[in-house]
Amino acid sequence: MARKKECIAMLLAGGQGSRLGILTKNIAKPAVPYGGKYRIIDFPLSNCVNSGIDTVGVLTQYQPLELNDYIGNGEPWDLDRVNGGVHILSPYQRIRGTQWYKNTANAIYQNIPFIDRYDPEYVIILSGDHIYKMDYAKMLAYHKEKQAACTIAMLEVPWEEAPRFGLMMVNEDGAITDFEEKPKHPRSNKASMGVYMFTWKKLRQYLLDDEANEKSGNDFGHDLIPAMHEAHERLYAYPFDGYWKDVGTIDSLWEANLDLLNPNVDLDLSDPDWKIYSRNPVAPPHYISPDATVQNSLISEGGQIEGCVDFSVLFANVSIAKGAVVRDSILMPGTVVKEGAVVQYAIVAENAVIEENAVVGERPEDMDNLSDWGVAVVGANVHIGARARVAPKAMVDEDLPEAKN
């Protein structure tokens, strides 16, 4: 029998991440590399540990193998516990036949037996694809103070971005009075961050009711939380004002990586009081040749830099040859850029090779029509032939042959 826990976390990590295109062809979105040495899922896992939550269920579904291997026994995050720790919860492990997770609320519903083992007072529901640092213990204290059934983390966003989010109307006490889901003409700029603190007895009953409702889409934002609101449950918004980014698109992933190079962005990954833990490859220190030029960039272990790197994030074991230029780009582990190649405004996935004098991406200022511009993406293990060109916005998932001229 598992020992009782005050609060456990359920981390939704099963999304396909289709807007990330070829980057999530073979891996789940939370396993996508970020920031030179991390994966996206490192952030919610580290937040849990730093907040004193030592029991985490990770709900996987789409392409789970690499994510499962990465999490392993949870040791890098101090989640290799005898009582609690991290647990991978896949839908195909159910005894009564296979049933995919239909949506977020259904995913938690299917794992009620797991939660019941720990008999928690509270359950926090997290997403596996957000970059942020947050103390969930403070959110729990707020939840208790308000005697809430559900507390939703809230971030004020620029009004022009508000239509992209689920929004909340909030009174002076912090109580939520109404919701809007991605409205064209928003009445609020208080966005839901997809971080939910529930009193478990309340959530358990609403999960059962939601599953029994054939008309429900089984989603927290669309179905379960509005049902709680209609039943006049105590719903509160917990204000958050730090860095938070949903890295659901190529542009947002690119921006979130380059934000690490911006001194005006409030995301310090070197803070010893709130460490972001990760499972890192063992690699030798990086080498930067005396002939290389490196400016305002993040270079990880194992790098061999002999060319020019500017405003870029390079993961472990990246090789940049003499005469090559990399700027405004993200190069994931094992990328090789050969002599004379130019990579700019691009994301290059793991173990891709950019041959001599190839060109990947383009600077927006060099283009006649800015609407044609976008971040170029090269998929994992793809080989870009000598002198070949990858256009802005292109997603290259297959090898490109050498160009003749």
Side-chain angles (χ1 to χ4, degrees):
M1 179 72 185
R3 197 162 71 243
K4 180 178 173 64
K5 301 282 183 181
E6 182 187 30
C7 180
I8 73 170
M10 298 294 278
L11 178 49
L12 297 163
Q16 184 172 345
S18 56
R19 290 179 300 162
L20 287 178
I22 58 179
L23 295 179
T24 49
K25 180 182 175 184
N26 297 308
I27 60 172
K29 182 162 62 166
V32 168
Y34 168 79
K37 58 183 272 189
Y38 305 100
R39 307 225 180 194
I40 297 169
I41 199 168
D42 288 333
F43 287 81
L45 285 177
S46 297
N47 287 341
C48 285
V49 174
N50 291 328
S51 303
I53 296 172
D54 65 6
T55 305
V56 183
V58 180
L59 286 71
T60 64
Q61 179 154 289
Y62 172 80
Q63 294 285 13
L65 294 180
E66 189 163 341
L67 184 62
N68 294 358
D69 285 349
Y70 182 73
I71 293 171
N73 66 353
E75 182 267 334
W77 305 272
D78 193 27
L79 287 170
D80 51 337
R81 309 291 179 98
V82 173
N83 184 60
V86 68
H87 299 260
I88 304 292
L89 303 171
S90 302
Y92 53 79
Q93 291 177 329
R94 283 170 56 78
I95 294 168
R96 284 173 279 170
T98 298
Q99 185 184 18
W100 288 107
Y101 294 147
K102 290 184 284 186
N103 217 324
T104 52
N106 172 261
I108 303 299
Y109 165 81
Q110 288 199 36
N111 286 286
I112 287 175
F114 170 80
I115 300 172
D116 281 345
R117 282 173 57 192
Y118 296 98
D119 188 25
E121 297 287 326
Y122 307 99
V123 173
I124 187 166
I125 309 294
L126 306 170
S127 172
D129 51 9
H130 298 155
I131 305 287
Y132 66 115
K133 297 195 295 185
M134 184 179 189
D135 189 344
Y136 303 139
K138 290 181 179 177
M139 185 177 180
L140 176 56
Y142 179 90
H143 180 85
K144 292 178 183 174
E145 176 197 328
K146 299 296 186 183
Q147 298 180 320
C150 172
T151 299
I152 302 173
M154 172 194 79
L155 181 75
E156 289 198 14
V157 298
W159 279 95
E160 63 270 19
E161 291 183 26
R164 293 174 39 218
F165 294 95
L167 303 169
M168 298 175 279
M169 270 41 80
V170 179
N171 69 17
E172 291 178 6
D173 180 40
I176 298 168
T177 58
D178 204 0
F179 293 95
E180 291 184 311
E181 187 61 36
K182 299 181 180 176
K184 283 185 178 177
H185 306 289
R187 291 179 288 147
S188 165
N189 69 333
K190 294 175 170 60
S192 166
M193 295 168 59
V195 176
Y196 309 121
M197 181 72 73
F198 288 98
T199 299
W200 173 233
K201 282 182 182 173
K202 289 280 188 186
L203 174 59
R204 195 181 191 284
Q205 187 56 53
Y206 277 93
L207 287 169
L208 295 171
D209 294 347
D210 179 72
E211 190 65 24
N213 178 5
E214 292 180 2
K215 294 180 181 177
S216 174
N218 308 122
D219 180 76
F220 276 108
H222 283 102
D223 304 290
L224 190 139
I225 291 171
M228 295 182 80
H229 180 59
E230 285 175 24
H232 305 293
E233 297 286 0
R234 293 176 66 85
L235 305 182
Y236 279 81
Y238 174 73
F240 178 78
D241 62 358
Y243 181 92
W244 178 85
K245 197 132 196 165
D246 177 350
V247 284
T249 65
I250 291 294
D251 285 352
S252 62
L253 178 65
W254 180 76
E255 289 166 7
N257 274 276
L258 296 183
D259 278 346
L260 294 173
L261 307 176
N262 185 344
N264 299 318
V265 169
D266 179 24
L267 182 63
D268 180 9
L269 300 188
S270 61
D271 181 357
D273 296 326
W274 201 269
K275 192 174 176 190
I276 302 301
Y277 300 90
S278 65
R279 186 184 296 280
N280 281 315
V282 178
H286 63 253
Y287 168 75
I288 298 178
S289 158
D291 300 325
T293 306
V294 177
Q295 296 185 74
N296 196 24
S297 294
L298 197 158
I299 313 288
S300 299
E301 297 89 344
Q304 293 281 326
I305 314 302
E306 297 183 33
C308 171
V309 180
D310 183 22
F311 203 65
S312 294
V313 174
L314 276 53
F315 285 75
N317 302 313
V318 167
S319 172
I320 311 295
K322 189 175 181 180
V325 176
V326 175
R327 54 168 85 95
D328 301 286
S329 293
I330 319 302
L331 273 54
M332 293 183 179
T335 298
V336 175
V337 182
K338 296 199 177 174
E339 200 164 326
V342 177
V343 178
Q344 49 198 356
Y345 291 92
I347 298 176
V348 183
E350 298 176 63
N351 302 314
V353 176
I354 314 299
E355 284 288 353
E356 294 179 4
N357 301 307
V359 177
V360 177
E362 196 167 340
R363 294 159 66 104
E365 54 264 40
D366 294 340
M367 297 189 64
D368 295 329
N369 188 351
L370 262 184
S371 64
D372 294 334
W373 181 83
V375 176
V377 183
V378 176
N381 305 303
V382 167
H383 188 275
I384 303 297
R387 297 178 298 281
R389 298 184 74 89
V390 176
K393 277 189 189 171
M395 283 198 179
V396 180
D397 195 21
E398 295 180 349
D399 293 352
L400 279 188
E402 175 181 336
K404 298 297 180 213
N405 50 1

